[in-house]
Structures are given as C-alpha cells and as structure tokens.
Amino acid sequence: MSHGRRDKRLRRRPRIAPEQPLETRMSATLATIVRPEVTKRANPFARIFSACCDWIARHFVRRTAIATLRGLDDRALRDIGIARFEIEAAVHGFITLPDQGRM
C-alpha cells in the first residue's frame, strides 16, 4: 500500500465530534445540583442518650484492651514500651509511649 492511498483514506474518515463552538458558560451550578441537607439539632434527650451510648461503647473497648494487655507476658509488654503497672494508664491515654526508634 502506498503512502498516498493511505493519506486519502485517513482524510475521508468522518470526524467523531462535530466542530461546534464550545459553550463557555455553566448550565448548572453545584448548589443547584447537590443541595445541602437541612440538619436539625437533635433534641437534648437524644444528645444525652447518644453520649451515654458512646461512653458505654468506649468503656467496653477500654476494658477489652486492658484485658488483652494483661494477658501478655512481661517481655511483650516491654516490647510495646509499657510496664505491667502502666497498663490502665496507657489504655486511658494518661501516658505516652516512647518513640519507636528501633525495629
């Protein structure tokens, strides 16, 4: 196939997109597409109930963490960077763990 025939065939292909001027203005704004939900403040009872449920859930998570750490031996606790008497303070966030410099 010669180069001349191929050039003619490529020129005869229809264009995929018609040549029309692009519209430069937006037809819709984001605020009209996605409207923010109107949020109502929860009543005081619902907020107190939710706070109590959160406290209970955090309590059980902390108790599970304490039980898990108490199940470890002293060497594993030393690897973590806490002593056995520091378990509850570490779980409650009262002490900070030392930097993990060695690996």
Side-chain angles (χ1 to χ4, degrees), residues 23-83:
E23 189 174 329
T24 56
R25 61 186 177 93
M26 291 181 69
S27 59
T29 61
L30 184 62
T32 60
I33 297 171
V34 180
R35 296 185 184 235
E37 266 187 48
V38 177
T39 57
K40 293 173 60 177
R41 290 185 69 180
N43 62 15
F45 176 74
R47 286 188 295 173
I48 292 171
F49 182 73
S50 177
C52 288
C53 289
D54 290 342
W55 183 86
I56 291 170
R58 284 193 311 268
H59 173 76
F60 282 113
V61 168
R62 284 192 304 266
R63 298 277 42 139
T64 303
I66 289 170
T68 302
L69 288 172
R70 283 186 179 157
L72 297 176
D73 61 347
D74 290 334
R75 184 176 180 168
L77 289 174
R78 193 170 50 245
D79 286 344
I80 295 171
I82 59 175

Side-chain angles (χ1 to χ4, degrees), residues 3-28:
H3 292 290
R5 288 179 95 186
R6 186 173 7 159
D7 290 340
K8 284 182 183 179
R9 194 171 40 139
L10 288 175
R11 276 186 259 150
R12 282 187 276 160
R13 289 187 180 173
R15 294 183 183 260
I16 295 174
E19 290 186 25
Q20 295 177 352
L22 295 175
E23 189 174 329
T24 56
R25 61 186 177 93
M26 291 181 69
S27 59

